[in-house]
Short mmCIF file of all heavy atoms in Angstrom, two decimals:
data_model
loop_
_atom_site.label_atom_id
_atom_site.label_comp_id
_atom_site.label_asym_id
_atom_site.label_seq_id
_atom_site.Cartn_x
_atom_site.Cartn_y
_atom_site.Cartn_z
N GLN A 1 0.83 -1.21 0.00
CA GLN A 1 0.00 0.00 0.00
C GLN A 1 0.87 1.26 0.00
O GLN A 1 0.57 2.22 -0.70
CB GLN A 1 -0.92 0.02 1.22
CG GLN A 1 -2.03 -1.00 1.18
CD GLN A 1 -2.79 -1.01 2.49
OE1 GLN A 1 -2.21 -1.23 3.54
NE2 GLN A 1 -4.09 -0.76 2.40
N VAL A 2 1.94 1.22 0.80
CA VAL A 2 2.86 2.36 0.84
C VAL A 2 3.52 2.56 -0.52
O VAL A 2 3.60 3.67 -1.03
CB VAL A 2 3.93 2.15 1.94
CG1 VAL A 2 5.00 3.23 1.87
CG2 VAL A 2 3.28 2.13 3.32
N MET A 3 3.98 1.47 -1.14
CA MET A 3 4.62 1.56 -2.45
C MET A 3 3.64 2.09 -3.50
O MET A 3 3.99 2.94 -4.31
CB MET A 3 5.16 0.19 -2.89
CG MET A 3 6.15 -0.44 -1.95
SD MET A 3 7.61 0.57 -1.69
CE MET A 3 8.32 -0.26 -0.28
N ASN A 4 2.41 1.60 -3.46
CA ASN A 4 1.40 2.08 -4.42
C ASN A 4 1.11 3.56 -4.24
O ASN A 4 0.97 4.30 -5.22
CB ASN A 4 0.10 1.28 -4.27
CG ASN A 4 0.23 -0.14 -4.78
OD1 ASN A 4 1.13 -0.47 -5.54
ND2 ASN A 4 -0.67 -1.00 -4.33
N GLU A 5 1.05 4.01 -2.99
CA GLU A 5 0.81 5.44 -2.72
C GLU A 5 1.95 6.29 -3.27
O GLU A 5 1.72 7.33 -3.89
CB GLU A 5 0.67 5.65 -1.21
CG GLU A 5 0.38 7.08 -0.84
CD GLU A 5 0.25 7.25 0.67
OE1 GLU A 5 -0.47 6.45 1.30
OE2 GLU A 5 0.88 8.17 1.20
N ILE A 6 3.19 5.84 -3.05
CA ILE A 6 4.34 6.58 -3.57
C ILE A 6 4.32 6.61 -5.09
O ILE A 6 4.55 7.66 -5.70
CB ILE A 6 5.66 5.96 -3.04
CG1 ILE A 6 5.79 6.21 -1.54
CG2 ILE A 6 6.87 6.52 -3.80
CD1 ILE A 6 6.93 5.46 -0.88
N MET A 7 4.04 5.46 -5.72
CA MET A 7 4.01 5.41 -7.18
C MET A 7 2.96 6.38 -7.73
O MET A 7 3.21 7.07 -8.72
CB MET A 7 3.73 3.99 -7.67
CG MET A 7 4.92 3.07 -7.50
SD MET A 7 4.71 1.43 -8.27
CE MET A 7 3.39 0.73 -7.29
N GLU A 8 1.81 6.44 -7.08
CA GLU A 8 0.74 7.33 -7.54
C GLU A 8 1.11 8.81 -7.33
O GLU A 8 0.97 9.63 -8.23
CB GLU A 8 -0.56 7.02 -6.80
CG GLU A 8 -1.72 7.86 -7.28
CD GLU A 8 -3.01 7.49 -6.56
OE1 GLU A 8 -3.27 6.29 -6.39
OE2 GLU A 8 -3.73 8.42 -6.17
N GLN A 9 1.60 9.15 -6.15
CA GLN A 9 1.94 10.53 -5.82
C GLN A 9 3.10 11.07 -6.65
O GLN A 9 3.15 12.25 -6.97
CB GLN A 9 2.27 10.66 -4.33
CG GLN A 9 1.09 10.44 -3.42
CD GLN A 9 0.04 11.53 -3.57
OE1 GLN A 9 0.34 12.70 -3.70
NE2 GLN A 9 -1.22 11.12 -3.57
N CYS A 10 4.06 10.20 -6.96
CA CYS A 10 5.29 10.65 -7.64
C CYS A 10 5.33 10.26 -9.11
O CYS A 10 6.33 10.52 -9.79
CB CYS A 10 6.50 10.09 -6.92
SG CYS A 10 6.62 10.64 -5.21
N ASN A 11 4.27 9.62 -9.60
CA ASN A 11 4.19 9.22 -11.00
C ASN A 11 5.39 8.38 -11.44
O ASN A 11 6.08 8.70 -12.41
CB ASN A 11 4.04 10.45 -11.90
CG ASN A 11 3.63 10.08 -13.31
OD1 ASN A 11 2.94 9.07 -13.51
ND2 ASN A 11 4.06 10.87 -14.28
N ILE A 12 5.65 7.31 -10.68
CA ILE A 12 6.74 6.41 -11.04
C ILE A 12 6.18 5.01 -11.28
O ILE A 12 5.11 4.66 -10.79
CB ILE A 12 7.86 6.38 -9.98
CG1 ILE A 12 7.33 5.95 -8.61
CG2 ILE A 12 8.55 7.73 -9.89
CD1 ILE A 12 8.42 5.82 -7.55
N THR A 13 6.93 4.21 -12.03
CA THR A 13 6.50 2.87 -12.41
C THR A 13 6.87 1.86 -11.33
O THR A 13 7.71 2.14 -10.46
CB THR A 13 7.19 2.45 -13.72
OG1 THR A 13 8.59 2.27 -13.47
CG2 THR A 13 6.97 3.48 -14.83
N PRO A 14 6.27 0.67 -11.38
CA PRO A 14 6.66 -0.38 -10.43
C PRO A 14 8.14 -0.73 -10.50
O PRO A 14 8.78 -0.99 -9.48
CB PRO A 14 5.79 -1.57 -10.84
CG PRO A 14 4.57 -0.96 -11.44
CD PRO A 14 5.10 0.27 -12.18
N LEU A 15 8.72 -0.72 -11.69
CA LEU A 15 10.15 -1.01 -11.84
C LEU A 15 11.00 0.08 -11.16
O LEU A 15 11.98 -0.22 -10.47
CB LEU A 15 10.51 -1.12 -13.32
CG LEU A 15 11.90 -1.63 -13.66
CD1 LEU A 15 12.12 -3.02 -13.09
CD2 LEU A 15 12.08 -1.65 -15.17
N GLU A 16 10.60 1.33 -11.32
CA GLU A 16 11.31 2.43 -10.66
C GLU A 16 11.15 2.34 -9.14
O GLU A 16 12.11 2.57 -8.39
CB GLU A 16 10.79 3.78 -11.17
CG GLU A 16 11.15 4.03 -12.62
CD GLU A 16 10.39 5.18 -13.24
OE1 GLU A 16 9.29 5.54 -12.76
OE2 GLU A 16 10.88 5.74 -14.24
N MET A 17 9.96 1.97 -8.68
CA MET A 17 9.73 1.83 -7.25
C MET A 17 10.56 0.69 -6.68
O MET A 17 11.11 0.79 -5.59
CB MET A 17 8.23 1.59 -6.99
CG MET A 17 7.85 1.58 -5.53
SD MET A 17 8.02 3.22 -4.78
CE MET A 17 9.13 2.84 -3.45
N ASP A 18 10.68 -0.39 -7.43
CA ASP A 18 11.49 -1.53 -6.99
C ASP A 18 12.95 -1.12 -6.84
O ASP A 18 13.62 -1.50 -5.89
CB ASP A 18 11.35 -2.69 -7.97
CG ASP A 18 11.94 -3.97 -7.44
OD1 ASP A 18 11.70 -4.30 -6.26
OD2 ASP A 18 12.66 -4.64 -8.19
N PHE A 19 13.45 -0.31 -7.78
CA PHE A 19 14.82 0.19 -7.69
C PHE A 19 15.01 1.02 -6.43
O PHE A 19 15.98 0.85 -5.69
CB PHE A 19 15.16 1.03 -8.93
CG PHE A 19 16.48 1.74 -8.83
CD1 PHE A 19 17.66 1.06 -9.06
CD2 PHE A 19 16.53 3.08 -8.50
CE1 PHE A 19 18.88 1.71 -8.96
CE2 PHE A 19 17.74 3.74 -8.39
CZ PHE A 19 18.92 3.05 -8.63
N ILE A 20 14.06 1.92 -6.14
CA ILE A 20 14.17 2.76 -4.94
C ILE A 20 14.10 1.91 -3.69
O ILE A 20 14.84 2.13 -2.73
CB ILE A 20 13.06 3.84 -4.95
CG1 ILE A 20 13.32 4.85 -6.07
CG2 ILE A 20 12.97 4.55 -3.61
CD1 ILE A 20 12.18 5.78 -6.35
N ARG A 21 13.22 0.91 -3.68
CA ARG A 21 13.11 0.02 -2.52
C ARG A 21 14.42 -0.73 -2.29
O ARG A 21 14.90 -0.84 -1.16
CB ARG A 21 11.96 -0.97 -2.71
CG ARG A 21 11.68 -1.83 -1.48
CD ARG A 21 10.62 -2.87 -1.76
NE ARG A 21 10.92 -3.73 -2.88
CZ ARG A 21 11.81 -4.73 -2.85
NH1 ARG A 21 12.49 -4.97 -1.76
NH2 ARG A 21 12.01 -5.48 -3.90
N LEU A 22 15.03 -1.24 -3.36
CA LEU A 22 16.31 -1.94 -3.23
C LEU A 22 17.40 -0.99 -2.75
O LEU A 22 18.23 -1.36 -1.91
CB LEU A 22 16.71 -2.57 -4.56
CG LEU A 22 15.90 -3.77 -5.00
CD1 LEU A 22 16.29 -4.19 -6.42
CD2 LEU A 22 16.08 -4.93 -4.04
N LEU A 23 17.41 0.23 -3.25
CA LEU A 23 18.38 1.22 -2.80
C LEU A 23 18.17 1.53 -1.32
O LEU A 23 19.12 1.70 -0.56
CB LEU A 23 18.27 2.49 -3.65
CG LEU A 23 19.39 3.52 -3.48
CD1 LEU A 23 20.72 2.93 -3.91
CD2 LEU A 23 19.07 4.76 -4.28
N GLY A 24 16.92 1.55 -0.90
CA GLY A 24 16.60 1.79 0.51
C GLY A 24 17.09 0.69 1.43
O GLY A 24 17.22 0.88 2.64
N CYS A 25 17.38 -0.47 0.88
CA CYS A 25 17.89 -1.60 1.67
C CYS A 25 19.42 -1.65 1.64
O CYS A 25 20.02 -2.58 2.19
CB CYS A 25 17.34 -2.91 1.14
SG CYS A 25 15.55 -3.05 1.34
N SER A 26 20.06 -0.68 1.01
CA SER A 26 21.52 -0.68 0.93
C SER A 26 22.15 -0.36 2.28
O SER A 26 21.49 0.09 3.20
CB SER A 26 22.01 0.33 -0.12
OG SER A 26 21.95 1.64 0.41
N ASP A 27 23.43 -0.60 2.38
CA ASP A 27 24.16 -0.36 3.63
C ASP A 27 24.19 1.10 4.03
O ASP A 27 24.41 1.42 5.19
CB ASP A 27 25.60 -0.87 3.51
CG ASP A 27 25.67 -2.38 3.43
OD1 ASP A 27 24.70 -3.04 3.86
OD2 ASP A 27 26.68 -2.90 2.94
N PHE A 28 24.01 2.01 3.08
CA PHE A 28 24.16 3.44 3.35
C PHE A 28 22.83 4.15 3.58
O PHE A 28 22.82 5.26 4.10
CB PHE A 28 24.89 4.13 2.19
CG PHE A 28 26.29 3.64 2.02
CD1 PHE A 28 26.59 2.65 1.09
CD2 PHE A 28 27.31 4.13 2.81
CE1 PHE A 28 27.88 2.18 0.95
CE2 PHE A 28 28.61 3.65 2.68
CZ PHE A 28 28.89 2.68 1.75
N ALA A 29 21.73 3.56 3.20
CA ALA A 29 20.43 4.21 3.32
C ALA A 29 20.11 4.49 4.78
O ALA A 29 20.17 3.60 5.62
CB ALA A 29 19.35 3.35 2.69
N TYR A 30 19.83 5.73 5.07
CA TYR A 30 19.44 6.19 6.41
C TYR A 30 20.54 5.97 7.45
O TYR A 30 20.28 6.04 8.64
CB TYR A 30 18.15 5.51 6.88
CG TYR A 30 16.95 5.81 6.03
CD1 TYR A 30 16.47 4.87 5.12
CD2 TYR A 30 16.29 7.03 6.12
CE1 TYR A 30 15.36 5.14 4.33
CE2 TYR A 30 15.18 7.30 5.34
CZ TYR A 30 14.72 6.36 4.44
OH TYR A 30 13.62 6.61 3.66
N GLU A 31 21.76 5.68 7.03
CA GLU A 31 22.83 5.40 7.99
C GLU A 31 23.26 6.64 8.76
O GLU A 31 23.57 6.58 9.94
CB GLU A 31 24.04 4.80 7.27
CG GLU A 31 25.15 4.41 8.22
CD GLU A 31 26.28 3.68 7.53
OE1 GLU A 31 26.06 3.06 6.49
OE2 GLU A 31 27.39 3.75 8.05
N TYR A 32 23.30 7.77 8.08
CA TYR A 32 23.74 9.01 8.70
C TYR A 32 22.56 9.95 8.86
O TYR A 32 21.60 9.88 8.10
CB TYR A 32 24.84 9.67 7.87
CG TYR A 32 25.97 8.74 7.56
CD1 TYR A 32 26.14 8.20 6.30
CD2 TYR A 32 26.88 8.38 8.55
CE1 TYR A 32 27.17 7.33 6.02
CE2 TYR A 32 27.91 7.51 8.28
CZ TYR A 32 28.06 6.98 7.02
OH TYR A 32 29.07 6.12 6.76
N GLU A 33 22.65 10.83 9.82
CA GLU A 33 21.57 11.80 10.03
C GLU A 33 21.32 12.58 8.75
O GLU A 33 22.23 13.09 8.12
CB GLU A 33 21.95 12.77 11.16
CG GLU A 33 20.85 13.73 11.51
CD GLU A 33 21.21 14.62 12.68
OE1 GLU A 33 22.16 14.29 13.42
OE2 GLU A 33 20.55 15.64 12.84
N ASP A 34 20.08 12.65 8.36
CA ASP A 34 19.64 13.35 7.15
C ASP A 34 20.20 12.78 5.85
O ASP A 34 20.19 13.45 4.83
CB ASP A 34 19.97 14.85 7.23
CG ASP A 34 19.26 15.53 8.39
OD1 ASP A 34 18.11 15.15 8.68
OD2 ASP A 34 19.85 16.44 8.99
N SER A 35 20.71 11.54 5.88
CA SER A 35 21.24 10.97 4.64
C SER A 35 20.14 10.47 3.73
O SER A 35 20.30 10.44 2.52
CB SER A 35 22.22 9.83 4.94
OG SER A 35 21.55 8.73 5.54
N GLY A 36 19.02 10.06 4.30
CA GLY A 36 17.92 9.57 3.47
C GLY A 36 18.27 8.29 2.75
O GLY A 36 19.03 7.46 3.25
N ILE A 37 17.71 8.12 1.57
CA ILE A 37 17.94 6.92 0.78
C ILE A 37 19.09 7.20 -0.18
O ILE A 37 18.99 8.04 -1.06
CB ILE A 37 16.68 6.53 -0.01
CG1 ILE A 37 15.51 6.28 0.94
CG2 ILE A 37 16.94 5.30 -0.86
CD1 ILE A 37 14.19 6.08 0.25
#
């Protein structure tokens, strides 16, 4: 549901969302304050 909401709000495809989700699981995502994805 969260992924679908993001795809709708940001006009991105499921493949693009999958890439962002995978990047969000990287060793660096959210590691540092204000680093984000």
Side-chain angles (χ1 to χ4, degrees):
Q1 289 174 302
V2 172
M3 302 301 166
N4 289 341
E5 182 180 312
I6 291 171
M7 287 188 294
E8 183 178 317
Q9 292 294 319
C10 299
N11 194 30
I12 59 176
T13 68
L15 189 59
E16 292 166 337
M17 187 68 237
D18 191 45
F19 171 79
I20 292 169
R21 186 185 56 75
L22 289 173
L23 191 63
C25 295
S26 77
D27 291 339
F28 296 97
Y30 298 103
E31 183 173 336
Y32 307 106
E33 184 176 343
D34 298 324
S35 66
I37 301 172

